[in-house]
Amino acid sequence: MNRPITTLFMLMSVDGKISTGASDTLDVDQDFPGIPGVGEGLHQYYELEQTTDLWSLNTGRVQKKMGVNEKDFPAKSPVSFVLLDNHHLTEHGIRYFCAWSKRFVLITQNPAHPAFSVKEENLYIIQQDSLDLADALQTLKDDHGCERLTIQSGGTLNGLFLRSKLIDYVDIVIAPVLVGGKDTSTLIDGESITMIEDLNLLGVLQLEKCEALKESYIHLKYKVLS
């Protein structure tokens, strides 16, 4: 395989929502802890997250919501981070990830991104004219030694990975809550299939693990067959 083995690892509601609503002020990491019946079991997701791959892919938009553009720099982590970002991260946010990451790879289509003004030994930039996930993954493997990659991004990017046949495993923790709302992000968003000949773009899954956790949480792991 000319790319890393990828695993989509996410926390979602029973109805597949990965956010608590349709605005950037709403977020499961911030909101779930305060919901009775949900917050009590949330630690299990974070404990499982600690066992994921030592390469992690996310987006600048998600990290901006998490406050990395303002937070104090964290201690060094053994994890190497990959972020897709064009305009959400500031120079401070870039330096935050340089401080945190073993190796930090930014994928961007913005030639004026603040990352280009940052000089850190562990910062690497993949600049593309247009987003090419397959090419970026091949570069991660060939140039950076990334063999396995955990994807924790938003629904739209997850959809691009799925339609491009770039997801090998789906590893999800289901929280005991229904969120609802047609505009709230789901595990897989993006453009919908409208023609029967495009059904080959579906992700067909084989269940590898089904575990009932405490506090009515569920842990599911699937292999993507097609």
Side-chain angles (χ1 to χ4, degrees):
M1 184 181 293
N2 63 347
R3 61 171 178 81
I5 296 171
T6 59
T7 299
L8 177 61
F9 177 73
M10 300 291 291
L11 171 68
M12 72 179 195
S13 65
V14 173
D15 55 331
K17 304 298 184 182
I18 59 173
S19 180
T20 47
S23 83
D24 281 352
T25 60
L26 296 167
D27 182 83
V28 294
D29 291 297
Q30 300 174 35
D31 303 332
F32 274 7
I35 301 174
V38 177
E40 293 85 344
L42 187 58
H43 65 93
Q44 299 168 107
Y45 165 74
Y46 296 114
E47 291 163 3
L48 286 167
E49 187 178 40
Q50 295 302 308
T51 69
T52 56
D53 301 313
L54 289 176
W55 281 85
S56 177
L57 182 144
N58 209 302
T59 66
R61 179 186 178 189
V62 170
Q63 294 305 313
K64 179 181 179 181
K65 287 174 63 175
M66 298 297 293
V68 301
N69 288 334
E70 296 83 26
K71 286 183 177 179
D72 293 337
F73 293 164
K76 183 67 71 176
S77 163
V79 177
S80 294
F81 290 94
V82 182
L83 289 185
L84 278 74
D85 183 65
N86 288 328
H87 56 82
H88 291 95
L89 294 179
T90 63
E91 181 177 327
H92 181 94
I94 295 296
R95 294 189 182 278
Y96 178 97
F97 270 94
C98 290
W100 193 18
S101 307
K102 180 179 180 180
R103 182 179 289 234
F104 174 38
V105 181
L106 178 77
I107 302 170
T108 187
Q109 294 85 58
N110 179 6
H113 196 284
F116 287 104
S117 66
V118 176
K119 305 301 180 184
E120 295 287 349
E121 290 185 354
N122 66 337
L123 171 62
Y124 303 87
I125 301 174
I126 299 174
Q127 184 179 354
Q128 299 179 324
D129 293 331
S130 58
L131 181 60
D132 186 332
L133 291 175
D135 182 74
L137 290 183
Q138 183 173 352
T139 299
L140 287 175
K141 182 172 183 177
D142 292 346
D143 295 355
H144 302 284
C146 175
E147 296 290 338
R148 302 187 70 93
L149 176 68
T150 295
I151 300 166
Q152 293 179 281
S153 61
T156 300
L157 186 58
N158 292 346
L160 290 176
F161 271 102
L162 175 68
R163 303 299 187 228
S164 301
K165 305 292 185 181
L166 296 174
I167 297 177
D168 299 303
Y169 294 92
V170 177
D171 192 357
I172 54 178
V173 176
I174 302 176
V177 63
L178 295 168
V179 176
K182 65 182 179 67
D183 296 322
T184 302
S185 186
T186 65
L187 183 70
I188 303 292
D189 286 332
E191 191 171 337
S192 298
I193 290 173
T194 57
M195 296 183 290
I196 194 168
E197 53 264 35
D198 290 333
L199 290 180
N200 64 332
L201 296 176
L202 293 174
V204 179
L205 308 178
Q206 175 180 290
L207 183 65
E208 293 200 336
K209 184 174 184 178
C210 178
E211 180 183 9
L213 304 178
K214 296 178 181 179
E215 306 294 343
S216 298
Y217 275 74
I218 299 173
H219 179 208
L220 299 173
K221 185 170 184 178
Y222 295 91
K223 182 178 181 179
V224 181
L225 300 179
S226 63

